[in-house]
Amino acid sequence: MNPKRLTSLKQKITFAFLIILGMALLNGIIAILLSQQIRSEIEQLVNQDVVKVMTALQLAKNSERLQIITTALNHYDTEEQRLSLLEDLASQWELLSQDTKTLIRIEKSPEINKALNNAMETQIYYKQQLPLLDTLTDTALRAKIQALEIQVNLTGMALTFTEQVQTQIHGIHNDYNTLIKTQNLKSLSNNLQEDQRLTEYLHQGEHLFTLLEKVKSTNDIRELNQLQREGMRLLIQLGEISASLDNESELYAVGLSQIKQNMVGEGNLFELTRNAIKSTQIASSHFANQAQAAQEIISFTGGLVSQIQSDILTSGAHLKNDSTSFVVLIFCGGILYCFFIWLASWHFIAKGIIQPVMATRDAMNAIANEKLDTQMPVTDNLELQQMVNSLETLKIYAAQVKAMSETDGLTGCYNRRYLDTQIQKEMAYAIDHNMPLSIVMFDIDYFKQFNDEYGHVIGDQCLKQIVQATKAMLQRPTDVVARYGGEEFMLILPSSHVEYAYKMAEHLRETIIGLAIPHKCSDHNGIVTISLGVACWQPSESLDANQLVEQADAALYRAKQYGRNRTEVFIHSPESISRLD
């Protein structure tokens, strides 16, 4: 009986072993299938969603570049500049088309695909307008060049005209003494009349040439038509006067005919200028439409990035759910049949996939919330490491976009958007920590006259110099300078009393004077100066950030009223006055 019992036990052990082996194989097969599914989801997340984000950000960047090019196309002086800008414009539209095609190829959402196809149609439409823009800008430039050549000819005619008439008047004046000595009263009277007519002729001629010179700076059709009518009236008057002259009337008639050819002949000054203005206006309208289309693409791209980020979060959630199911299944099978197999599988899944994926998801969420100092997760998985590398690139692009949205493109200091956010943060900090908060608002005195006198290019250079000097003057890393608007700027001085803010304002005012930027229209030694207004929030006051800005603006207004180039403080009490003194 014992051998039979042993055989029976052997069979049972064999059967149990077969069951355990079958369960282990089943768990292994399930584990392999789930691993492949998770790997497929990770690859999709890396190869599609992250690529879509990068492509969308590149599309926004190229759209912004296109806006810059369309703005530059309103201001060119040479054929080389025009052709270069038009070539850049065509290249930029081609880049936008390539990015849009990439998004269409990898995007699966019907709604987004429809919007992308609409954007592609818009891009094709504006690319088809490029030959028209080439023609318009070429026509405008050629008309401007021909008009300038006529202006040069007219300038030479003006010098000859003035010289001839003045010579004739001088000869009449030389004849006066002889006629007076001979007492030839009739000839003397004739000479006086001739002198008056020549003087009137000279005056009207100079008036005509001055009027023709104004055509060069005219950008309005109605004003140009008015100048043409006034010029023809003066030309007719000159013809009448020249006909009444006794001497050299034919010579003056010839000179007037040459002037007339430039005013009413084929390809005359007014016609060329009118054609240049019309072509420029039509081209500017097309450029404005292209810039608006680029702005719409930027807005659409922003929504697309948000949608893709939402899809990434959804994919991460699905991936987490799949991983959790995988872990539960391996755990149950391993605890019953093969603890060590379960332990190894759990170690692989938890540490090799789940934790890196969750860390990557958290990093994605942090970057989406503009936390750009987020550390990237470390993993030894190739696919996850590829996603981390792509995420690192996305982080760089996000930092660039954030910097562009917070920085003033001209001066390099912070812009109004950043200023509004920062002053709210500093006010909240000051209230929470019972600390004062001071701000200094300043603007450039007579800056409109400065731009009118020196031009906007020099005006932009002036703004840059003042911002650079202001940045160099700031002593603490928490101090902020931002462009409030136009030529107005603001300093935020956290944890600063009004005395410190006043000293900083005066130091800045003296620093700007030390730059000695020439300004003919300034009342202060012919150089650029600034006016400043100081306001300070004290812990005992119930003010918000907007009211504090209004106080600084009121102090700045008072500084302007009291003569500019000075600092005024919004005073709350007599004790503040004594402390400042």
Side-chain angles (χ1 to χ4, degrees):
M1 294 181 62
N2 288 339
K4 186 177 180 179
R5 191 180 302 115
L6 290 174
T7 302
S8 176
L9 181 60
K10 181 179 179 181
Q11 292 175 350
K12 291 180 180 180
I13 294 173
T14 303
F15 181 74
F17 175 77
L18 293 175
I19 292 176
I20 293 173
L21 180 61
M23 291 298 300
L25 291 174
L26 179 63
N27 287 338
I29 293 172
I30 293 175
I32 292 173
L33 293 176
L34 289 178
S35 297
Q36 291 296 329
Q37 180 182 355
I38 293 173
R39 181 178 179 179
S40 175
E41 292 179 3
I42 293 174
E43 289 178 349
Q44 179 181 0
L45 189 64
V46 173
N47 297 329
Q48 292 187 10
D49 293 341
V50 175
V51 171
K52 283 193 288 186
V53 171
M54 293 175 60
T55 306
L57 291 174
Q58 185 64 35
L59 183 65
K61 183 178 179 181
N62 289 333
S63 299
E64 292 175 354
R65 173 61 182 162
L66 189 142
Q67 287 181 314
I68 295 173
I69 294 173
T70 54
T71 301
L73 273 166
N74 290 316
H75 308 283
Y76 57 86
D77 298 319
T78 64
E79 178 69 8
E80 290 75 11
Q81 291 178 350
R82 184 187 73 85
L83 293 176
S84 177
L85 289 172
L86 286 175
E87 184 178 353
D88 290 344
L89 184 63
S91 300
Q92 211 61 32
W93 276 118
E94 184 62 29
L95 291 174
L96 289 178
S97 298
Q98 293 176 3
D99 293 337
T100 306
K101 290 178 182 177
T102 300
L103 290 174
I104 292 174
R105 186 172 63 254
I106 62 179
E107 180 56 55
K108 297 181 180 179
S109 171
E111 294 80 5
I112 297 178
N113 254 315
K114 181 179 180 181
L116 288 170
N117 285 318
N118 291 336
M120 177 62 70
E121 292 177 359
T122 300
Q123 294 164 14
I124 293 173
Y125 170 76
Y126 283 112
K127 282 196 294 185
Q128 292 173 347
Q129 287 188 342
L130 292 178
L132 174 61
L133 293 175
D134 185 16
T135 302
L136 289 171
T137 54
D138 180 65
T139 301
L141 183 59
R142 292 181 182 275
K144 288 179 182 178
I145 293 174
Q146 293 175 2
L148 288 175
E149 291 175 353
I150 293 177
Q151 288 283 8
V152 172
N153 293 335
L154 288 172
T155 301
M157 292 180 185
L159 295 175
T160 304
F161 173 86
T162 304
E163 185 177 321
Q164 288 177 348
V165 178
Q166 288 179 346
T167 301
Q168 187 70 19
I169 293 174
H170 184 68
I172 293 174
H173 290 171
N174 290 337
D175 292 340
Y176 283 162
N177 294 332
T178 303
L179 294 174
I180 291 173
K181 290 178 181 180
T182 58
Q183 297 184 354
N184 189 342
L185 299 180
K186 182 178 180 180
S187 297
L188 182 61
S189 175
N190 291 335
N191 275 20
L192 288 173
Q193 293 177 1
E194 186 79 2
D195 185 19
Q196 291 176 353
R197 287 192 291 270
L198 283 172
T199 302
E200 177 66 17
Y201 186 73
L202 178 61
H203 174 72
Q204 294 293 346
E206 290 176 344
H207 188 189
L208 174 62
F209 284 114
T210 301
L211 182 144
L212 294 177
E213 182 67 20
K214 291 182 180 179
V215 175
K216 188 190 324 183
S217 58
T218 301
N219 292 316
D220 184 79
I221 297 294
R222 290 180 294 180
E223 182 181 354
L224 181 64
N225 293 337
Q226 179 64 29
L227 290 174
Q228 187 175 16
R229 290 192 293 270
E230 180 67 16
M232 294 304 301
R233 184 184 66 79
L234 291 173
L235 187 62
I236 293 171
Q237 291 180 358
L238 286 172
E240 294 174 351
I241 296 173
S242 67
S244 66
L245 295 174
D246 296 333
N247 299 319
E248 304 292 344
S249 60
E250 293 182 0
L251 178 62
Y252 294 143
V254 171
L256 289 178
S257 67
Q258 293 176 351
I259 298 173
K260 185 177 181 180
Q261 290 178 359
N262 292 305
M263 294 178 60
V264 299
E266 183 179 356
N268 65 78
L269 175 63
F270 295 100
E271 180 183 355
L272 289 171
T273 304
R274 190 177 291 108
N275 291 340
I277 293 175
K278 289 180 179 179
S279 298
T280 301
Q281 289 176 346
I282 296 173
S284 298
S285 176
H286 284 285
F287 291 140
N289 291 337
Q290 295 210 357
Q292 179 63 31
Q295 182 59 46
E296 292 175 359
I297 293 175
I298 293 174
S299 302
F300 166 74
T301 304
L304 180 60
V305 171
S306 299
Q307 179 64 37
I308 295 172
Q309 289 175 341
S310 177
D311 293 342
I312 292 175
L313 294 176
T314 302
S315 299
H318 290 163
L319 184 59
K320 179 182 178 181
N321 293 335
D322 293 342
S323 301
T324 303
S325 300
F326 182 25
V327 171
V328 169
L329 180 59
I330 295 301
F331 176 80
C332 293
I335 201 69
L336 294 174
Y337 301 101
C338 190
F339 176 77
F340 294 103
I341 295 176
W342 169 85
L343 183 61
S345 299
W346 170 251
H347 178 77
F348 168 74
I349 294 300
K351 292 187 177 180
I353 296 179
I354 297 178
Q355 293 180 2
V357 168
M358 294 179 65
T360 304
R361 181 206 59 186
D362 294 338
M364 290 180 178
N365 290 334
I367 292 174
N369 294 323
E370 298 186 349
K371 297 179 181 178
L372 303 181
D373 56 345
T374 303
Q375 294 294 327
M376 294 294 102
V378 179
T379 178
D380 55 358
N381 185 285
L382 177 60
E383 291 79 13
L384 288 177
Q385 188 59 49
Q386 291 176 346
M387 185 170 66
V388 169
N389 293 339
S390 300
L391 188 60
E392 183 70 33
T393 303
L394 175 62
K395 176 182 174 182
I396 295 173
Y397 279 112
Q400 293 175 350
V401 172
K402 186 174 186 296
M404 291 170 62
S405 68
E406 295 180 348
T407 304
D408 180 58
L410 174 62
T411 61
C413 67
Y414 290 113
N415 59 16
R416 178 66 180 273
R417 176 179 179 271
Y418 178 84
L419 174 65
D420 292 340
T421 302
Q422 190 65 19
I423 197 170
Q424 294 289 348
K425 291 181 179 178
E426 294 295 348
M427 177 62 79
Y429 180 86
I431 294 174
D432 292 341
H433 295 80
N434 204 31
M435 297 291 290
L437 173 63
S438 294
I439 63 173
V440 179
M441 181 179 291
F442 67 95
D443 72 352
I444 304 171
D445 297 331
Y446 304 110
F447 189 70
K448 181 181 182 302
Q449 293 84 341
F450 185 93
N451 273 335
D452 293 341
E453 178 68 23
Y454 299 97
H456 289 279
V457 175
I458 303 301
D460 292 345
Q461 292 177 358
C462 176
L463 290 175
K464 292 178 182 178
Q465 285 183 268
I466 290 177
V467 169
Q468 290 174 357
T470 305
K471 287 182 176 179
M473 187 201 69
L474 297 180
Q475 301 175 356
R476 304 178 303 177
T478 57
D479 296 341
V480 172
V481 58
R483 190 174 184 181
Y484 188 76
E487 70 273 18
E488 287 188 316
F489 297 87
M490 182 180 292
L491 296 178
I492 303 177
L493 306 174
S495 306
S496 300
H497 292 283
V498 68
E499 296 87 354
Y500 176 82
Y502 179 80
K503 291 178 181 179
M504 289 288 290
E506 278 297 287
H507 184 198
L508 176 58
R509 184 180 65 83
E510 293 171 1
T511 299
I512 300 307
I513 292 175
L515 296 177
I517 302 173
H519 190 354
K520 293 180 181 180
C521 302
S522 174
D523 295 335
H524 304 285
N525 298 323
I527 61 175
V528 171
T529 59
I530 61 173
S531 298
L532 306 97
V534 179
C536 179
W537 177 85
Q538 299 292 341
S540 59
E541 297 172 349
S542 58
L543 293 176
D544 59 18
N546 292 330
Q547 291 172 328
L548 183 63
V549 172
E550 290 175 359
Q551 291 181 357
D553 187 56
L556 174 59
Y557 180 77
R558 188 162 62 248
K560 294 179 181 179
Q561 283 185 318
Y562 289 168
R564 294 182 169 85
N565 189 23
R566 62 185 292 118
T567 301
E568 289 291 332
V569 180
F570 188 91
I571 302 299
H572 298 276
S573 63
E575 291 78 3
S576 299
I577 299 177
S578 62
R579 288 201 303 271
L580 289 175
D581 292 337

